[in-house]
Structure formats: structure tokens, C-alpha cells
Amino acid sequence: MTTAPAAALARHPHDDLLRTERIPHIWCSGCGIGIVFGSLMAAITKSGLPRQDVAVVSGIGCTGRMAGYIRLDSFHTTHGRAIPFATGLQLARPQGKVIVASGDGDLLAIGGNHFIHAARRNMDLTIICVNNFNYGMTGGQLAPSTPYGAKTTTTPQGNPDEPFNFCALAAACGASYVARWTALHIRRLTNTILEAIHHRGFSFVEVVAPCPTAFGRRNKIRGALDLLRFYYDRSVVKNHIAPGEATIDFDHHLVVGKFVELDRPTFLDHYQMVNRGQVEAWPATGVDASAAGQRKAG
Amino acid sequence: MAGKAVLTGTHFMNGDEACCEGALAAGCRFFGGYPITPATEVAERMSKRLPQVGGVFIQMEDEIASMAAILGASWGGRKSMTSTSGPGFSLMMENIGLGLCTETPCVICNVQRAGPSTGLPTLVGQGDMMQARWGSHGPYEIIALCPASPQEMFDFTIRAFNLSEQFRLPVLIMADEVVGHMNERVVIPPADQIEVIDRAKPSVSPAEYLPYRPGPDGVAPMANFGDGYFMHVTGLTHDQRGYPTMTPAAQVEMTERIVGKIRNNLDRILDYETLLLDDAQVAVVAYGISARSARGAVLAAREAGLKAGLVKLNVAWPFPEQFIRELSHQVKCMIMPEINLGQMVLELERLAQGRCAVRLVAHPGGTIISPRRIVEAIGQALKERP
Amino acid sequence: MTGNAQRELVITGFGGQGIILTGNILGKAATIHDGRHATMTQSYGPEARGGACSSQVIVSDGEIAFPYVESPQVLVCMSQEGFENNRSTLIPGGMLIWDADLVETHDLDPSWSLHEVPATRFAEELGNKMMANIVMLGFLSALTDLVDPESLKKAMLGSVPPQTKEKNEAAFARGREYGLAILKGKAERGAAAS
């Protein structure tokens, strides 16, 4: 970048969405985050949403830096807290679209509790989770996604933990849109992110992405392309499979595809219905109202 | 479900409820919180009142999320608040720091109970005062208001919002269980007699806008999500563009600006009241519920012929350093009653520098300090040789 | 403490009896309707229902510095436990009031002025024992000058659910009449004795 003559530099198609003055970015060569970032920008452009109505919120980590490079209202919050911050942002300005982009450790270890509750509420957020199976920025520590037996700097003899299946977790918690791709499924990933952006409710997109520097190197897959290929070759597209069966199994199948797409009211829809008196009191049947009233008075 | 934001009139309500009414009168339209005794009544009333005025209430999964949510809501353009007590306040420290670093207006009401840990959930304490000042990591200044009555819960909550909007920072209301739960008269003035300050908006085009370029008073105008300014907001040390800048020089510039907003505007922030101080030989310096005990004690001491005076700190942080320094030249002794084992008294000691005696009247929590104990301390102080 | 005449009252009972509401109504009457100063604080256990609870009310012409009541001039007991726990705090010459069917008194200070009222029974007769606290308020309005009786009634009517106003008004009247009758009886006995 520093050696190329300025005039020879072609404009990148997403330059208008980039804080170009912040380039070069911090990501390693061969990192999958750039691909996901490109897909995200392509999807935002395709969505046709007014730029000022889209915000990107992230937590801490390599993926969290996406918020720093995108020329939108963007918020780089504390570790794990992107989702509750985004919740407040979205509820304060419901006409806006709030996208959370962060890593697996940020969203599902330290931020796990926020994740499951935002999914339960069907909060109107799009969550892009770049899953690189470790904490890359800080040199490759154990993440809640690290495969059993894999080496990280905090599991030097191999990981004794069972990893989470994020898509199954999201679906079980109530996410109304759930999908997974690898970073090599670029076209499908872009379309999925676009769908997720247009989806009303909690949409979750997991992207299995290579971290050659910290994760691949320590687990004998040194080349970035080798790692990308390793994930891609094991992937099998199974749309609408039961999320619990959408496993990440490196010996057999790394299941990708769209697993959940439901139309259900968001938190704010429910909140407005309740406050307009449009929601029947619980329980709807089987209780003598006068008896219930008496208990309340007591 | 329409309702009035300002309940003009005379009420008999508790401090938690008065805090809500103050917030609504100041323009608060978002509350994210988690119930905890003795602050639950704030959340309960907000859950009922906010939808009446077009606001949003959400009970979050914990206090970490609550604090994060009110920061998000503030950037979404709504005045926002949360309420909590000791254990929840501990959890909020992380994102109070984010609010300070990103200069995000919002209000946190801590209805203090006795700690440490779960402590005495239903009983009073004032043990979070140093946590309020230093609880989040790194260098910063904070504003903390200390109401001593439900009326002050109303008035100070409005002021807390105004200060937070004016100086772009989280402002703390350090209440306590007795002030929160005590019912007393609360007079709510007509809406047009309540001063409400809103954050300054950028007056330049997005191309020229630097989100952290300070205005004349050291405070940068704030764009909100959706205004088209495409700002970047980060908890990393950042430059005036808001961009992460990992250098000691950027750290110096940013922290100096952040603390400068308070240090250079003390005259607009500090608030204390005095009673019978002119000829006083002993000054009782107190805050919150203990200031009421102190007031009773000073009046009783005067009846007994003891030359005592009162300093009631309405704002505990920033501490009125200059005033206390001067006071230490005048009086023989300063007495601090507080419901902890000695926190704000350390400020008196620091500022007195041995010029006058400093005495603590302490209780670890569970009950308020009896005026009798303060009167005894006044009598004792006057007997001591200089 | 302030040099102003300050009246302090404690109402004790168990959770669910409306003890806190009773204190609240007294405070409302004093502050909103009589234009005086009042504080109401409360203490309660962790149980939502049935635990001991008490409401402490101070009424004063001046500002109230210390809102806790350490030695009340009036003690109202609506439970045995409330009586046992608070009996010793009542000042000499103070007034003790209790629900005749819920409290058995003992070890009474001869300087106290003693009054019992079957508040819960009266409330039951009027259709809802939940109104015992309102009967007690009516009784208090007759026996003490804490607040103006009309103010108290107004504050009470402003604090109960609208559909229960009539019943509560009857409960208040029942307690007040009973109290006035006691006073009248005392006055007559006093006149006869002199």
C-alpha cells in the first residue's frame, strides 16, 4: 500500500462504506474477517437502506474492529456487551437497523448471557458472529467454540472443554433467523446477511472463518488457504435442518445453510401490544377471574 | 395509555418514586434496569410510567446489560437511566467506564444498602461512596449527587440529567435506602418552571464534524445515531475523530479533556449548603441521609450553647476541595457522620492537612446515625485541646 | 430536635394488613391536606406476606431531621408480635392502641393511655377484614390530634381503589364513632366521678 503510486490505486467497490483513512487495517493476511466484512458491506449496499439508518455495534476482539472501519454510525463497546448496547440503541431508535458484528468469544463466552436473552426477546438485531475458534487478537486463547482436543495458548495439551453449537443455541433461545456459512461461501454469505438485515427480529449469522496466525498455526494447518479449504471441504449444505443437527464436526460434516426463518413479533412489537392492552392477561383460560381478583386484593 | 410526564402538584411519595418523576420531568424516555432492593421501586414505577409518555422500559438480564443498554439508548438519542443498589452497582462499573470514555450522557441512581456483598438488602448504607469515585478502572472524574429527601430525589434527578447532558457523561445519584423508601412531601412544579438542558448538537456538516473536538466549555457537541454524522465511538483511547489511537500522547489528550470537563467547570457543578457556619468552631460535614441527622445535631448543639455548624454536600463528587480547605482554617474540628466505616472523611483529612481535627462518626450500616451521637462528638471536639 | 412540636407514631402488624398504607394515608393527610411536615418510613422482613412490619410516622410543624421513630408517643398494635416487639418503645404518658381481637396486652405502664378497638371484627362485619386498617384510622382520628379528621378522610379516600371508596368510608366512620363514644363515655364517667 505504501509503495504503490496513489494514482494506480483503483477504488475498492466498498470505498464509500469504508473509513479509508483508517486503512491499513489490523487483520492478518489470510484472516477470514475481511471476507465477512466485504460480504457485510455488500449486503448493506444491496439492502438499499439509507446509510444513516444503519449502525454497526461490536464488542472487543479482531472482529470487533469491523465497527472501526465502516463509515456508518459505529460503536466499539466493551468485551461481550455489544448486544445489550445494541438493544438500547435499537429501542431508542426503532426505525434504524442495528447490526452487531463480533467474534465467538465476545458474543458467546463473556457475552453469552446477553446473547441468549436477546434471542429470547427476539430483539430486532442482526448478529454476525465470526467464528474462528479462538481468541485471535490476544494470541489464540481458548474460546467457547474451540474444538475438543484443539490446542490454544491456554489449552496447550489440548482443549478439555466441549464447544457450543452456536446455531443450535440461538435457535433454542428463540432466534427467529439462524444461518451458518464458511468464509469461502462468499455469495451465499452475502445473500444470507442481506436476508438477515431485512429480517424483523433476532437474526443470527455464524461464519466459520480461518485464523491462520493463532489457531491454524498451533493446530498444524499453517496456510491460510489450507485452513479455509479445510473448513470448506468439510461443509455440507443442509438448509432447514433441525438446528440441533447442524453440527460442526470436523471429522465428518460441518453443516452450513439456513436453519431457522420464522416470522414472530419482536420485543418492541410485544411491548407496544401489551401497552395498548392488546395482550390477553395470563393465563388466558382456566381461572375464575373473580377469585383471581380477590387474591390480588389480599 | 397517555399520561403526563410532569405530575405537577403536591405529593406524598417515597424517594424512589420521586426519582422516577424527576427523570420523566427531565426528559428521560428510556430505562434499562434489573430489580434490586431497595431500588426496585424505581424500576417498578418506570415500567408503569414510561409507556404513558412514549418511552421504553426494559428489564435486562443483569446490571451489566442494563448499563450497556442505557449507553446505547443515549446514542440513539433518548435520555436514559438505570437504578440499582450495591451488588448491581459493582456490575455496572465496567460500562460506567465506557460511558465516561465515550462521553455518553446517562444517569445511574444507586439506592445504597449496607454491604459488603449481599449485606443487608432492606437496610440503609452509604458504603459505595468511594466506589462511586474510583470503582471503574483508569483515570476519570465523576459527578455524584447525594439527595437527603424525596424532594431532593426529584430535584437532584433533574439536575443529574441536566449535568449529564451538559457535560456528556454518566452522572450518579448516590441515594440510600432511607431516602429511597421514606415517604415525604414532594412538590412537583409546572413543567414550564423546570429547567431542562439537552445535549448540544453539532452545528457543522458531517464532513467537518469531529465527534470529540471540545467546544468552549470543553464539551464536544454530540451527534446521535441516525443524524447522518457517521461517527465512530470506542472505549479505546481515541483522538478527536473518535478513532482508536494507541499512543501515550493520545491518552494524555483524551483523559485531560475528560477530567477537564469536571475540573474546569467546578463552579457549575459543585453544590453544598451551610447552616450556622459563620461562627462555628465545629463543622459537621455530611451528605445524603446522614446530613439530616447532622442538621438535627447542629440545631440541638446550638440549643445547648455549642458552636456547631453544618455543611450539607448536595454534590459529593467532585468534592468541594477549595471550600473545605478554607473551612479547615476556620474551625477547630470537622466531623463527618457516614454510614460506612470511613470514606468521605478521608477527603476531609486530605484537605485539612492537620490544620484542624477531623473526626468520624461511623456506622457500618443497617440504621441511620442518631443525632445524639453527633452532638456527643461535637461536645467532645470542643473539649479537646487544639 | 427542631424545637417544633413533633408527634411520632408507630403502627405495627403483619404484612398484608395495610400497615404501610395506613402510615401513608396519615402522612398524606398531614402534608398534602394540612400543609405540615411528615415522614413515613417502614420496616419489614423478607416475607411478602405475614412477616412483621411497621410503619413509622412523624408529623411536625417544622422540618424533620431524623426520620426514624425511636420513642413514639402513639403506638398502634395490630398483631401480637408487633405489640411484643414495640411495647418498650412507647414513651411514659404515651397512647397505646390495639386491635382487641388480635392482641393480648400485658405489662402495661400505668402512665399510658390505653385504648382497644375490635378493628378487624368491625371490618369483617362491614364485609371485608382487609379494611381493619381503615377502621383503625377512623379510631385514631377520634382519639388523637395528629392530623385533622377531615384531612385524614380525604387522604384515605384518595388512597383506596375508587370502587371501594364507599365501603372504606363506612369503615372509617365505624372506627371514628367507636372512638368518639369511648371519649364521651370517659368524659361522662369523669363528670360522674367529680
Side-chain angles (χ1 to χ4, degrees), chain A residues 17-244:
Chain A
L17 262 176
L18 278 172
R19 298 185 188 272
T20 47
E21 67 274 28
R22 294 213 61 218
I23 305 297
H25 54 69
I26 64 157
W27 297 316
C28 306
S29 63
C31 173
I33 295 171
I35 304 173
V36 184
F37 192 41
S39 282
L40 173 62
M41 287 188 289
I44 288 170
T45 302
K46 279 189 189 172
S47 76
L49 291 171
R51 292 282 162 88
Q52 70 270 21
D53 277 347
V54 185
V56 173
V57 181
S58 72
I60 296 298
C62 290
T63 310
R65 291 302 183 98
M66 274 193 202
Y69 299 125
I70 197 157
R71 189 176 298 285
L72 293 171
D73 288 332
S74 55
F75 304 89
H76 179 234
T77 67
T78 40
H79 195 21
R81 317 307 172 202
I83 287 177
F85 184 100
T87 294
L89 189 66
Q90 202 279 330
L91 291 176
R93 197 168 184 281
Q95 66 272 39
K97 177 72 213 178
V98 180
I99 299 166
V100 172
S102 226
D104 46 298
D106 184 73
L107 285 169
L108 284 133
I110 188 166
N113 196 34
H114 311 309
F115 180 89
I116 65 178
H117 287 280
R120 168 176 68 82
R121 297 180 183 114
N122 200 27
M123 196 58 68
D124 192 7
L125 300 171
T126 295
I127 316 293
I128 314 287
C129 173
V130 177
N131 180 3
N132 61 12
F133 303 107
N134 78 140
Y135 289 79
M137 178 178 270
T138 48
Q141 293 79 34
L142 178 73
S145 51
T146 305
Y148 177 71
K151 288 193 171 65
T152 70
T153 63
T154 51
T155 55
Q157 291 85 21
N159 176 22
D161 280 2
E162 293 280 353
F164 260 145
N165 178 341
F166 298 153
C167 286
L169 177 72
C173 294
S176 49
Y177 185 102
V178 179
R180 176 193 294 139
W181 297 105
T182 78
L184 212 49
H185 293 91
I186 300 174
R187 193 184 305 266
R188 298 199 230 210
L189 174 62
T190 304
N191 289 337
T192 290
I193 294 176
L194 180 61
E195 265 190 25
I197 287 173
H198 283 311
H199 178 81
R200 266 176 59 77
F202 190 89
S203 51
F204 177 64
V205 181
E206 177 184 0
V207 192
V208 172
C211 175
T213 307
F215 185 69
R217 185 168 53 92
R218 210 158 271 116
N219 289 285
K220 296 182 202 150
I221 314 175
R222 287 173 182 275
L225 284 174
D226 296 338
L227 193 54
L228 202 57
R229 182 59 67 186
F230 177 80
Y231 297 143
Y232 186 77
D233 285 350
R234 280 157 181 74
S235 63
V236 204
V237 180
K238 290 188 182 177
N239 287 314
H240 303 294
I241 190 177

Side-chain angles (χ1 to χ4, degrees), chain A residues 19 21-22 51-55 65 67-68 71-79 81 84-85 87-89 91-93 96-98 113-114 117 121 123 267 271 275, chain B residues 1 30 51 55-62 64-65 68-69 71-73 75-76 78 94-95 98 224-236 241 243-244:
Chain A
R19 298 185 188 272
E21 67 274 28
R22 294 213 61 218
R51 292 282 162 88
Q52 70 270 21
D53 277 347
V54 185
R65 291 302 183 98
R71 189 176 298 285
L72 293 171
D73 288 332
S74 55
F75 304 89
H76 179 234
T77 67
T78 40
H79 195 21
R81 317 307 172 202
F85 184 100
T87 294
L89 189 66
L91 291 176
R93 197 168 184 281
K97 177 72 213 178
V98 180
N113 196 34
H114 311 309
H117 287 280
R121 297 180 183 114
M123 196 58 68
F267 168 84
Y271 186 71
N275 286 319
Chain B
M1 285 220 29
F30 182 88
V56 176
F57 169 93
I58 182 168
Q59 181 168 323
M60 296 300 288
E61 52 273 16
D62 57 31
I64 299 172
L71 295 180
W75 283 101
R78 295 209 189 205
E94 174 194 49
N95 285 321
L98 180 64
N224 296 324
F225 167 35
D227 290 350
Y229 281 85
F230 304 126
M231 68 277 185
H232 179 58
V233 175
T234 178
L236 287 167
R241 295 173 301 174
Y243 291 172

